[in-house]
Amino acid sequence: MRKQEIKQQIEIIVPLWEEILKKSIVNDEQLCKILKGKVNAQDIKKVIEKYPMNINPYYLSLIKKQDDAIWKQCIPDIREVEDDFGFDDPLHEEEDSPVYGLTHRYPDRVLLLVSNKCAMYCRFCTRKRKVGVCYKSMSKEDIQKGIEYIKQHKEVRDVILSGGDPLLLKDDELEFILKSIREIKHIEIIRIGTRVPCTLPQRITPELCAMLKKYHPLYINTHFNHPDEIRAESKRACTLLADAGIPLGNQSVLLRGINDNPAVMKKLMQKLLTIRVKPYYVYQADLTKGTNHFRTKVSEGIDIIRSLRGYTSGMCVPHFVIDAPGGGGKIPITPNYVVNKEGNSIKLKNYEDKEFEYIEPG
Ligand code: SF4
């Protein structure tokens, strides 16, 4: 075979998503070349020495202008290293980790981190301490130890694969994990947390979906934070997953200057339903070191939920939660619709502050 033919063969074999990833922006020189004059090279260098950068060309192409919602999520900011507030591991995931990469906090479910790579390194990430840090990458042996732990713990019925991003594994690597878990009799459901339908939708291929559907009941929770992230490519990716019978949920993080706005959040939730993704959680940002500039007040999250409830379909209303600092689990925060309770009479108010009385059984 001639050299040119071999090259063509390789191009056919390497999937598009891997090609896109190979062209990711990972250093200050590449970024400055693309964003000419709009970023400070020294600042970028300083930040990425501590917290790596990885922006694939697809996600970068979503930026419409400097400092917009996409920019803020992917372009390093000097405040990440200048503001010292917060903790490297705000949820104490390492403390509840009996095996490297596995967190067992709740009685019936475990979190298994199967990759430390992501299609894009979000600047607000709670696992900033882990993503992209090569010396701590998950080995096959680490993953096997995690699977062995699950086998021995019969109380576990639900396994959540996360990372990094599990869908950055190749199909056969991911299938090895899914198959091993599915063979464990006491595991009822498997969930995958992934941001690729948003940040690298090209990763969702018919071949991947054909593989995933063998391991039902399988759920996917994805992560969109802003309506501008929902494009034709994401719609195609979510359609493929939904057509494979995979229920899709979305977990957003409330982020200063990105989505801390009722109108933006309403548009995001409504658009998610149009691509067959059910809004699931909105998280208050964790106390993660290097992300303080993204944090909002809890009252702003309550106002956002209040602006959704009653004003749009209940399908659009996610749970607003705070992941308890130090690892106490998710705490739901809701607007208060109960005015008072006297005997078996409960006074309630609706979304327009109109009052109603409900009589409980005596
Ligand atoms: S995709 Fe998820 S794990 Fe990866 S950097 Fe973004 S928030 Fe963190």
Short mmCIF file of all heavy atoms in Angstrom, two decimals, residues 117-128 131 162-165 194-195 199 223, ligand 1:
data_model
loop_
_atom_site.label_atom_id
_atom_site.label_comp_id
_atom_site.label_asym_id
_atom_site.label_seq_id
_atom_site.Cartn_x
_atom_site.Cartn_y
_atom_site.Cartn_z
N LYS A 117 -10.17 12.83 32.13
CA LYS A 117 -10.12 13.75 30.98
C LYS A 117 -11.53 14.23 30.65
O LYS A 117 -12.50 13.53 30.88
CB LYS A 117 -9.57 13.01 29.76
CG LYS A 117 -8.14 12.56 29.93
CD LYS A 117 -7.53 12.24 28.58
CE LYS A 117 -6.13 11.69 28.74
NZ LYS A 117 -6.11 10.28 29.08
N CYS A 118 -11.59 15.42 30.11
CA CYS A 118 -12.87 15.97 29.67
C CYS A 118 -12.68 16.58 28.29
O CYS A 118 -11.55 16.92 27.92
CB CYS A 118 -13.35 17.06 30.62
SG CYS A 118 -13.53 16.48 32.30
N ALA A 119 -13.78 16.77 27.58
CA ALA A 119 -13.69 17.35 26.24
C ALA A 119 -13.35 18.83 26.32
O ALA A 119 -12.89 19.44 25.35
CB ALA A 119 -15.01 17.16 25.50
N MET A 120 -13.60 19.42 27.49
CA MET A 120 -13.28 20.82 27.74
C MET A 120 -13.13 20.95 29.25
O MET A 120 -13.92 20.35 29.98
CB MET A 120 -14.42 21.69 27.22
CG MET A 120 -14.18 23.17 27.23
SD MET A 120 -14.52 23.93 28.83
CE MET A 120 -16.30 24.06 28.80
N TYR A 121 -12.10 21.65 29.72
CA TYR A 121 -11.95 21.79 31.16
C TYR A 121 -12.68 23.04 31.63
O TYR A 121 -12.23 24.17 31.39
CB TYR A 121 -10.47 21.85 31.56
CG TYR A 121 -9.72 20.57 31.27
CD1 TYR A 121 -8.34 20.55 31.12
CD2 TYR A 121 -10.40 19.35 31.16
CE1 TYR A 121 -7.66 19.37 30.85
CE2 TYR A 121 -9.73 18.17 30.89
CZ TYR A 121 -8.37 18.19 30.73
OH TYR A 121 -7.71 17.03 30.46
N CYS A 122 -13.83 22.81 32.30
CA CYS A 122 -14.66 23.93 32.74
C CYS A 122 -13.93 24.65 33.87
O CYS A 122 -13.47 24.01 34.82
CB CYS A 122 -16.01 23.41 33.24
SG CYS A 122 -16.76 22.25 32.10
N ARG A 123 -13.89 25.95 33.79
CA ARG A 123 -13.10 26.72 34.77
C ARG A 123 -13.72 26.66 36.16
O ARG A 123 -13.06 26.93 37.16
CB ARG A 123 -12.95 28.19 34.32
CG ARG A 123 -12.39 28.41 32.92
CD ARG A 123 -11.26 27.50 32.51
NE ARG A 123 -10.10 27.54 33.39
CZ ARG A 123 -9.06 26.72 33.27
NH1 ARG A 123 -9.04 25.78 32.35
NH2 ARG A 123 -8.05 26.81 34.10
N PHE A 124 -15.01 26.31 36.26
CA PHE A 124 -15.71 26.30 37.55
C PHE A 124 -15.74 24.91 38.17
O PHE A 124 -16.42 24.70 39.18
CB PHE A 124 -17.16 26.77 37.34
CG PHE A 124 -17.89 25.96 36.30
CD1 PHE A 124 -18.47 24.75 36.62
CD2 PHE A 124 -17.94 26.38 34.98
CE1 PHE A 124 -19.10 23.97 35.66
CE2 PHE A 124 -18.56 25.61 34.00
CZ PHE A 124 -19.14 24.41 34.36
N CYS A 125 -15.02 23.96 37.60
CA CYS A 125 -15.20 22.54 37.97
C CYS A 125 -14.91 22.25 39.46
O CYS A 125 -13.88 22.67 39.98
CB CYS A 125 -14.30 21.67 37.12
SG CYS A 125 -14.47 19.93 37.47
N THR A 126 -15.80 21.49 40.08
CA THR A 126 -15.61 21.08 41.48
C THR A 126 -14.41 20.15 41.61
O THR A 126 -13.76 20.09 42.65
CB THR A 126 -16.90 20.36 41.97
OG1 THR A 126 -17.92 21.34 42.05
CG2 THR A 126 -16.72 19.71 43.32
N ARG A 127 -14.14 19.39 40.53
CA ARG A 127 -12.99 18.46 40.58
C ARG A 127 -11.77 19.04 39.86
O ARG A 127 -11.01 18.32 39.22
CB ARG A 127 -13.39 17.11 39.99
CG ARG A 127 -14.52 16.48 40.76
CD ARG A 127 -14.67 14.99 40.49
NE ARG A 127 -15.86 14.54 41.17
CZ ARG A 127 -16.96 14.09 40.56
NH1 ARG A 127 -16.99 13.96 39.26
NH2 ARG A 127 -18.01 13.74 41.27
N LYS A 128 -11.59 20.35 40.01
CA LYS A 128 -10.42 21.02 39.43
C LYS A 128 -9.13 20.33 39.84
O LYS A 128 -8.15 20.34 39.13
CB LYS A 128 -10.36 22.47 39.94
CG LYS A 128 -10.90 23.52 39.01
CD LYS A 128 -10.88 24.86 39.69
CE LYS A 128 -10.01 25.86 38.96
NZ LYS A 128 -10.56 26.35 37.72
N VAL A 131 -9.18 16.98 37.24
CA VAL A 131 -9.29 16.90 35.78
C VAL A 131 -8.02 17.38 35.09
O VAL A 131 -7.45 18.39 35.44
CB VAL A 131 -10.52 17.67 35.22
CG1 VAL A 131 -11.82 16.98 35.55
CG2 VAL A 131 -10.53 19.10 35.67
N SER A 162 -18.57 8.59 36.47
CA SER A 162 -18.30 10.01 36.24
C SER A 162 -16.81 10.18 36.02
O SER A 162 -16.09 9.23 35.70
CB SER A 162 -18.82 10.81 37.44
OG SER A 162 -18.66 12.19 37.22
N GLY A 163 -16.30 11.39 36.20
CA GLY A 163 -14.88 11.62 35.95
C GLY A 163 -14.46 12.99 36.46
O GLY A 163 -14.92 13.39 37.52
N GLY A 164 -13.79 13.69 35.59
CA GLY A 164 -13.63 13.62 34.15
C GLY A 164 -14.92 13.16 33.46
O GLY A 164 -15.99 13.23 34.02
N ASP A 165 -14.75 12.77 32.22
CA ASP A 165 -15.92 12.40 31.43
C ASP A 165 -15.81 10.96 30.94
O ASP A 165 -14.92 10.64 30.14
CB ASP A 165 -16.06 13.37 30.24
CG ASP A 165 -17.46 13.38 29.70
OD1 ASP A 165 -18.01 12.28 29.48
OD2 ASP A 165 -18.02 14.47 29.51
N THR A 194 -22.06 12.95 32.04
CA THR A 194 -21.19 13.36 30.93
C THR A 194 -21.55 14.74 30.42
O THR A 194 -22.72 15.10 30.35
CB THR A 194 -21.28 12.36 29.74
OG1 THR A 194 -20.54 12.89 28.63
CG2 THR A 194 -22.72 12.10 29.30
N ARG A 195 -20.54 15.48 30.01
CA ARG A 195 -20.81 16.81 29.44
C ARG A 195 -20.66 16.80 27.92
O ARG A 195 -20.82 17.82 27.28
CB ARG A 195 -19.85 17.83 30.08
CG ARG A 195 -20.57 19.14 30.27
CD ARG A 195 -19.87 20.30 30.82
NE ARG A 195 -20.76 21.42 30.49
CZ ARG A 195 -20.43 22.67 30.39
NH1 ARG A 195 -19.22 23.05 30.65
NH2 ARG A 195 -21.31 23.59 30.05
N THR A 199 -20.40 19.73 25.15
CA THR A 199 -19.08 20.26 24.80
C THR A 199 -18.41 19.57 23.61
O THR A 199 -17.50 20.12 23.00
CB THR A 199 -18.12 20.14 26.01
OG1 THR A 199 -18.11 18.78 26.45
CG2 THR A 199 -18.54 21.04 27.15
N HIS A 223 -24.91 18.04 31.07
CA HIS A 223 -24.59 19.27 31.79
C HIS A 223 -24.53 20.45 30.81
O HIS A 223 -23.50 20.69 30.18
CB HIS A 223 -23.24 19.04 32.51
CG HIS A 223 -22.72 20.20 33.30
ND1 HIS A 223 -21.65 20.09 34.15
CD2 HIS A 223 -23.10 21.49 33.36
CE1 HIS A 223 -21.41 21.25 34.71
NE2 HIS A 223 -22.27 22.12 34.24
S1 SF4 B 1 -16.89 18.31 32.09
FE1 SF4 B 1 -17.47 18.07 34.27
S2 SF4 B 1 -15.72 17.06 35.26
FE2 SF4 B 1 -15.01 17.91 33.28
S3 SF4 B 1 -14.20 19.92 33.74
FE3 SF4 B 1 -16.34 20.20 33.15
S4 SF4 B 1 -17.48 20.14 35.08
FE4 SF4 B 1 -15.45 19.28 35.50
#
